Amino acid sequence: MSIYILGIESSCDDTSAAVLKDTQMLSSVIANQDVHRKYGGVVPELASRAHQQNIIPVVEVALQQAKITKNQLSAVAFTRGPGLLGSLLVGTSFAKAFAMGLDIPIIEVNHLKAHILSHFVEDDVQKEHPEFPFLCLTVSGGHTQIVKVNSASDMVIIGKTIDDAAGEAFDKAAKIMGLPYPGGPEIDKLAKAGNPVAFSFPEPKIGDMDYSFSGLKTSFLYFLRDRLKEDDDFIEKNKADLSASIQHTIIAILMKKLRIAVDQTGISQVAIAGGVSANSGLRNAIEKEAADKGWKVFLPPFKYTTDNAAMIAVAGYFKFLEKDFAPQSIAPYARGGF
Ligand code: KG4
Ligand code: ZN
């Protein structure tokens, strides 16, 4: 018998619901919150309020598009954390009440594990998934991790950032250049017309498979401050080269540790996940490495790079198979790893 999971994602500024039939995506609906744009970042209070407004309509549309009734659902999976607490509370409370009304179980999902498991959602564009074990470079606005994925439930973080995330490095560099938020996609666009070695920035000296990005932001800031003293229009004149160079440096940092991870684990199936996995430079760099070194790489379709509920539903599916259900007393968490 097929399993129908409703997934709910509300950890940051996207209210999202998706329905999966086993791992097959039937619908995936996202309400973006434009309200944050003018503030140059996500305002938690406004995010919670927008989730509260969006959640019921988004779920209704997801069920309609999936062409099923709520009574056919097997379980409701929701993001428990990490994320903004007020935002998580909306999704968690909704999932509890909805599941209680239908007398079906709830399944708590870790947002970061879900980003990784998004590779297992099947649809018209994603037909292949990695085999266990594989490595996943998770790069988002809040996290940067290299994960050894032994199974859907057994994941080990073998490298992580000690300060900023890769997405933050993109966003902060963009902010310094006066680009709109979120800056990652803006830098990606501008970088296409720029020279990636026009300017060079120092890479961090940090051990093992860990990352650090806060020093890069500081050196970018100081570099521009010095150049602006000589020429007020320096940023405007060099936007493309600056974007290409900072992107090139971030990717070089990411790839260096990923290579070490492949060498040390002997695992050459490599996936990427999270918002920054949409970056065209990173995707090219991974594909080039795959061609040079014989890695098998998995690049998610763009719709699964940023936050979405299909990844929450597929993570819920794996837990459903294990009957790993959550009690109604469960509470969300803002921070933490797996
Ligand atoms: O996974 P995500 O949607 O949210 C979090 O869980 O953090 O990731 C958002 C991050 C932002 O920092 C955004 O700038 C970055 O992903 N991002 C990109 C690109 N698209 C999104 N960074 C670089 N290049 C892109 N094309
Ligand atoms: Zn995310």
Side-chain angles (χ1 to χ4, degrees):
M1 218 175 69
S2 295
I3 297 164
Y4 291 91
I5 307 275
L6 171 68
I8 304 289
E9 156 62 30
S10 71
S11 66
C12 191
D13 60 341
D14 295 313
T15 320
S16 174
V19 179
L20 257 60
K21 179 183 179 183
D22 299 325
T23 57
Q24 186 71 37
M25 203 265 286
L26 298 184
S27 66
S28 181
V29 179
I30 300 179
N32 300 114
Q33 301 180 1
D34 275 341
V35 60
H36 307 288
R37 199 165 256 276
K38 64 173 183 261
Y39 299 100
V42 177
V43 184
E45 293 275 325
L46 296 179
S48 310
R49 194 184 320 186
H51 283 307
Q52 192 76 336
Q53 286 166 342
N54 293 340
I55 192 134
I56 303 257
V58 162
V59 168
E60 276 177 351
V61 174
L63 286 168
Q64 273 164 18
Q65 288 186 0
K67 298 193 174 58
I68 67 159
T69 68
K70 57 184 191 255
N71 295 315
Q72 287 172 266
L73 291 172
S74 314
V76 182
F78 65 97
T79 306
R80 184 181 176 198
L84 300 171
L85 198 63
S87 291
L88 292 163
L89 278 165
V90 177
T92 305
S93 302
F94 171 83
K96 287 184 184 185
F98 199 62
M100 187 180 257
L102 294 169
D103 198 21
I104 55 176
I106 50 170
I107 301 170
E108 57 112 349
V109 171
N110 175 283
H111 182 85
L112 299 165
K113 283 189 175 174
H115 266 301
I116 296 170
L117 294 172
S118 66
H119 283 278
F120 292 83
V121 178
E122 280 176 83
D123 63 17
D124 47 351
V125 283
Q126 182 163 269
K127 298 183 188 322
E128 239 201 337
H129 60 75
E131 299 297 329
F132 300 115
F134 64 94
L135 294 178
C136 186
L137 174 68
T138 308
V139 270
S140 72
H143 297 87
T144 301
Q145 303 174 329
I146 302 175
V147 182
K148 182 166 174 270
V149 188
N150 297 317
S151 73
S153 58
D154 177 10
M155 302 189 189
V156 184
I157 299 168
I158 58 174
K160 60 180 185 317
T161 182
I162 59 157
D163 42 55
D164 290 352
E168 262 177 298
F170 273 105
D171 294 341
K172 286 180 177 173
K175 196 169 187 175
I176 294 168
M177 287 197 282
L179 300 174
Y181 175 87
E186 300 289 329
I187 289 194
D188 194 354
K189 251 184 272 163
L190 286 165
K192 292 195 168 92
N195 173 5
V197 291
F199 308 108
S200 68
F201 304 103
E203 291 182 25
K205 292 190 176 42
I206 168 167
D208 301 326
M209 288 169 267
D210 286 338
Y211 289 112
S212 167
F213 287 102
S214 67
L216 179 61
K217 173 200 66 189
T218 312
S219 54
F220 191 62
L221 181 69
Y222 288 170
F223 170 81
L224 285 180
R225 197 183 56 184
D226 291 347
R227 294 300 173 101
L228 285 169
K229 277 184 200 151
E230 293 151 18
D231 178 0
D232 281 348
D233 287 336
F234 182 78
I235 295 179
E236 204 46 50
K237 286 180 194 156
N238 295 282
K239 252 183 192 165
D241 283 351
L242 285 166
S243 296
S245 300
I246 195 79
Q247 176 168 301
H248 178 78
T249 311
I250 294 170
I251 293 167
I253 295 170
L254 290 172
M255 292 304 295
K256 183 175 170 189
K257 299 302 175 87
L258 193 55
R259 269 182 222 113
I260 298 175
V262 170
D263 289 346
Q264 285 200 3
T265 61
I267 298 172
S268 57
Q269 272 195 106
V270 181
I272 54 173
V276 181
S277 69
N279 184 266
S280 55
L282 177 62
R283 293 170 89 97
N284 290 340
I286 292 248
E287 282 193 321
K288 183 173 178 302
E289 200 76 20
D292 291 352
K293 301 253 178 71
W295 297 0
K296 185 161 170 56
V297 296
F298 295 84
L299 309 180
F302 288 108
K303 62 182 166 188
Y304 298 138
T305 58
T306 42
D307 292 345
N308 65 87
M311 69 185 195
I312 304 303
V314 81
Y317 166 79
F318 285 114
K319 284 191 150 190
F320 189 95
L321 296 180
E322 306 291 323
K323 297 205 172 6
D324 187 355
F325 304 132
Q328 274 281 347
S329 58
I330 198 157
Y333 53 84
R335 287 171 200 287
F338 291 167

